[in-house]
Amino acid sequence: MNVTLKDRTAETAAVYFERTRSPIIRKFLPQKAQTLEEALADFRKSQEPGARSFGRTICADGQYVGDVWCYCIDSGGSPQAMVSYCVFEQELWGRGAASEALGLFLEEIRERFGLERLGAFTFMENAGSIRVLEKNGFRLAESFTENGVASGYYERIPSL
């Protein structure tokens, strides 16, 4: 499988919003935007100069299959940004597409923004997401329960 990252557009943002409405994805991926209009407004904000978020689409063998993004970008902060990802094509789950996409994205944001120290949240029952994070150098920094759901905060800190 050939995994590549491409530019996000309003069209892909709309597709992403619609494809991530499925109950199985919503179980593992909390979503701020509750309407397509909100999702498109968030996308437009990410395109503004000085935006504190940046994202790419994930393509597998040329087909759009998900998104990967960072938010709360602060090159002087700790962490310097939070990362998230979702492959909405369920037939690709467990096949390495998200791991490879996140690895490509981490290289890109290091070069583009100088980001090295990153954070990520996941639900502890989401074993696939935990594997993706760990394969990309993230380690569990804190476990907690929020709204009755066991969750984890993961950090990726470059070796000194």
Side-chain angles (χ1 to χ4, degrees):
M1 169 176 26
N2 180 34
V3 175
T4 57
L5 303 179
K6 296 188 178 178
D7 291 337
R8 291 181 76 231
T9 64
E11 180 182 353
T12 60
V15 169
Y16 179 85
F17 177 80
E18 294 301 328
R19 295 298 307 274
T20 57
R21 304 314 293 165
S22 77
I24 187 76
I25 291 175
R26 292 185 70 158
K27 177 180 177 184
F28 291 115
L29 184 68
Q31 297 170 341
K32 179 181 144 236
Q34 296 302 305
T35 66
L36 177 57
E37 292 74 24
E38 290 174 348
L40 291 173
D42 288 344
F43 167 75
R44 285 189 294 275
K45 286 180 193 171
S46 76
Q47 303 301 297
E48 294 174 0
R52 295 188 61 218
S53 64
F54 173 75
R56 304 280 274 155
T57 63
I58 302 169
C59 294
D61 296 330
Q63 178 185 348
Y64 174 43
V65 299
D67 281 8
V68 58
W69 63 95
C70 59
Y71 57 98
C72 298
I73 298 172
D74 178 0
S75 60
S78 181
Q80 295 173 310
M82 300 297 293
V83 296
S84 197
Y85 47 86
C86 178
V87 171
F88 52 70
E89 290 294 342
Q90 293 180 35
E91 68 270 6
L92 294 179
W93 291 1
R95 296 190 47 213
S99 292
E100 189 170 343
L102 182 58
L104 292 170
F105 187 71
L106 294 174
E107 289 176 27
E108 183 172 346
I109 62 174
R110 182 176 49 248
E111 291 173 17
R112 181 182 283 244
F113 300 107
L115 302 178
E116 298 272 351
R117 189 178 178 109
L118 304 165
F121 290 103
T122 193
F123 295 139
M124 297 309 290
E125 69 179 78
N126 191 345
S129 182
I130 291 169
R131 280 192 305 274
V132 168
L133 291 169
E134 290 177 345
K135 283 181 182 180
N136 280 284
F138 286 80
R139 298 295 171 250
L140 182 64
E142 180 183 352
S143 296
F144 57 95
T145 300
E146 185 173 48
N147 299 324
V149 179
S151 300
Y153 169 67
Y154 283 74
E155 284 187 328
R156 182 174 190 267
I157 303 169
S159 302
L160 300 176

